[in-house]
Amino acid sequence: MTPFTIDIPQSDLDDLHDRLARTRWTPQLPSDGWERGVPTDWLRDLAEYWRTGYDWRAREAALNAFPQFVDEIDGLDLHYLHVRSPEPDALPLVLAHGWPNSFVEFARTIPLLTDPRAHGGDPAQAFHVVVPSIPGFGFSGAPRTTGFGIPAVAGMFAELMARLGYDRYGTQGGDLGAYVTPELARRHPDRVVGVHIDGGFGFPTEDDVPGMTEEERAEWDLMQQWSSGGVDHHALLRVAPQTFGHGWHDSPVSLLAWHAHKFQEFSMSDQPLLDVIDRDLFLDNVSVYWFTKTAATSSWPMYEGLAQGGAARFEWPKAPAGVPSGVYGGGSALMRRLAERDGPIVHWPEGNPGRHHFIAMEEPAGHVADIRAFFAQLR
């Protein structure tokens, strides 16, 4: 286990600034706001801030305040944060980030999780936190062969926790992390005490339609209308990840636009994106992708098949049998009924705050409060 410090060469930072300064800007198409994609003026303002106002060195130092390491597991370097709580009896907790995100997703929640006493909370609800960078993301090595999938990630995380000396721990994740954490529990139900995800258990598929009531079928129809909007990144990256990767690898504005587009689509608010997600935190994540050259390598969940067992058809996460599970945002009675087919659901709250898919970035205090409430039942 090798200690790791983020130390981006000044030449890389200078190159970023130079590329941003020389951007060949796309003319604005006739549109109203974001209806045809990220507006040129909006993107230009953000790129200029990234170049002249955003202080990467200060942000780098803040990220380096978290103890970080790299360990080789299954032939790949795995980067991870390991932040131990000052409370000796804290429960170990794996946090699994999403796409297009990174370990930056949890920068605001880690201090609240590890040291509740310092933030006016109950020290009995403390966690030792482990945040791995999923292979292909950030400072972890990228998969070298085809066929890499969620089971492989879960196996690496399990090995990491064993090497750290944790034989009993909880798991939490959203988006891509909502697939990794249940798989980890399926593989090691004797070690994982509970699985908490931001959302995703119980989403119906076409296979469920024949058994639906008339009311549930109407709900299904509304879900289809909602899910049909936006850019289908699963389709794009399943077919041509290398093609799009060329642009993201060469142009920081292309990468910035892609992240802005997806973060905007992932918002459940009509407010401007940067009123929901902090601008510097958003740029921390984009900067990690740029400096680590992982825009393309992080696309493997789509081209390898984001599903249970790596199947070709997209599937929603499923609760693991035999391990208690919970979600940050509960859904309808239909969703809970479907979720409970796969495993015990012991936490299904309604009314938690949140306007964005990446809730840990938007509502760190609310996110942490719900994680504490879920694991309080299981300690």
Side-chain angles (χ1 to χ4, degrees):
M1 299 181 186
T2 306
F4 179 84
T5 300
I6 304 171
D7 186 15
I8 300 303
Q10 185 60 40
S11 58
D12 287 2
L13 195 56
D14 293 341
D15 176 67
L16 168 64
H17 292 162
D18 180 61
R19 288 170 185 262
L20 289 170
R22 293 186 296 106
T23 300
R24 185 170 180 243
W25 288 100
T26 306
Q28 178 63 49
L29 301 176
S31 65
D32 181 16
W34 289 64
E35 68 179 29
R36 285 188 170 88
V38 182
T40 297
D41 287 347
W42 184 94
L43 187 64
R44 194 168 192 156
D45 287 345
L46 183 58
E48 181 63 14
Y49 176 75
W50 195 13
R51 186 177 75 89
T52 62
Y54 172 79
D55 186 348
W56 166 254
R57 290 305 183 198
R59 307 300 289 186
E60 181 183 65
L63 293 174
N64 280 329
F66 300 120
Q68 299 172 60
F69 305 85
V70 172
D71 197 6
E72 183 179 321
I73 300 178
D74 295 341
L76 291 176
D77 285 342
L78 187 69
H79 164 261
Y80 61 96
L81 280 58
H82 182 202
V83 188
R84 290 188 58 85
S85 171
E87 310 298 336
D89 296 328
L91 176 69
L93 179 66
V94 179
L95 299 178
H97 64 77
W99 175 97
N101 222 316
S102 65
F103 69 94
V104 168
E105 181 175 345
F106 303 110
R108 293 184 168 187
T109 59
I110 292 171
L112 305 178
L113 289 165
T114 56
D115 195 2
R117 188 193 301 268
H119 297 88
D122 182 356
Q125 295 182 322
F127 297 90
H128 300 306
V129 171
V130 179
V131 188
S133 292
I134 292 173
F137 292 73
F139 298 98
S140 283
R144 300 190 184 97
T145 61
T146 59
F148 188 85
I150 299 298
V153 179
M156 294 177 72
F157 284 15
E159 175 61 22
L160 173 63
M161 295 303 282
R163 294 185 187 185
L164 293 175
Y166 296 135
D167 57 8
R168 180 178 181 272
Y169 49 87
T171 65
Q172 200 286 324
D175 193 82
L176 177 57
Y179 292 84
V180 175
T181 51
E183 181 64 19
L184 185 52
R186 274 187 286 273
R187 295 170 69 98
H188 298 287
D190 56 326
R191 303 182 198 173
V192 177
V193 301
V195 176
H196 181 279
I197 70 171
D198 296 342
F201 289 145
F203 277 91
T205 68
E206 291 182 0
D207 295 338
D208 300 312
V209 174
M212 291 181 184
T213 65
E214 183 175 344
E215 182 178 347
E216 290 174 342
R217 180 59 185 267
E219 182 180 343
W220 161 258
D221 290 340
L222 286 174
M223 287 182 178
Q224 294 305 104
Q225 294 176 29
W226 173 80
S227 63
S228 62
V231 174
D232 187 348
H233 56 273
H234 289 276
L236 290 177
L237 298 179
R238 184 165 56 247
V239 174
Q242 191 76 62
T243 299
F244 298 107
H246 293 306
W248 299 326
H249 186 87
D250 184 64
S251 168
V253 166
S254 177
L255 179 67
L256 183 66
W258 177 238
H259 277 247
H261 190 99
K262 295 315 300 181
F263 268 68
Q264 177 71 23
E265 285 188 344
F266 287 171
S267 180
M268 295 165 281
S269 169
D270 58 3
Q271 292 182 272
L273 170 62
L274 299 181
D275 286 353
V276 179
I277 300 295
D278 177 77
R279 179 174 60 176
D280 280 1
L281 188 62
F282 173 75
L283 287 174
D284 289 346
N285 187 58
V286 179
S287 297
V288 166
Y289 274 77
W290 176 257
F291 290 129
T292 60
K293 305 176 177 67
T294 50
T297 62
S298 63
S299 298
W300 67 258
M302 275 60 77
Y303 64 77
E304 295 290 359
L306 184 55
Q308 309 298 325
R313 188 180 74 169
F314 173 79
E315 298 179 8
W316 292 101
K318 295 181 180 178
V323 177
S325 297
V327 300
Y328 179 84
S332 65
L334 167 65
M335 291 179 62
R336 179 151 193 176
R337 173 173 69 80
L338 296 177
E340 290 177 335
R341 296 179 305 183
D342 301 307
I345 305 295
V346 300
H347 187 72
W348 194 268
E350 297 182 8
N352 273 336
R355 300 166 294 169
H356 202 274
H357 182 63
F358 293 123
I359 193 65
M361 299 178 81
E362 187 223 338
E363 290 281 355
H367 195 234
V368 168
D370 197 70
I371 293 171
R372 289 173 178 164
F374 170 68
F375 283 104
Q377 308 172 61
L378 309 175
R379 289 177 182 261

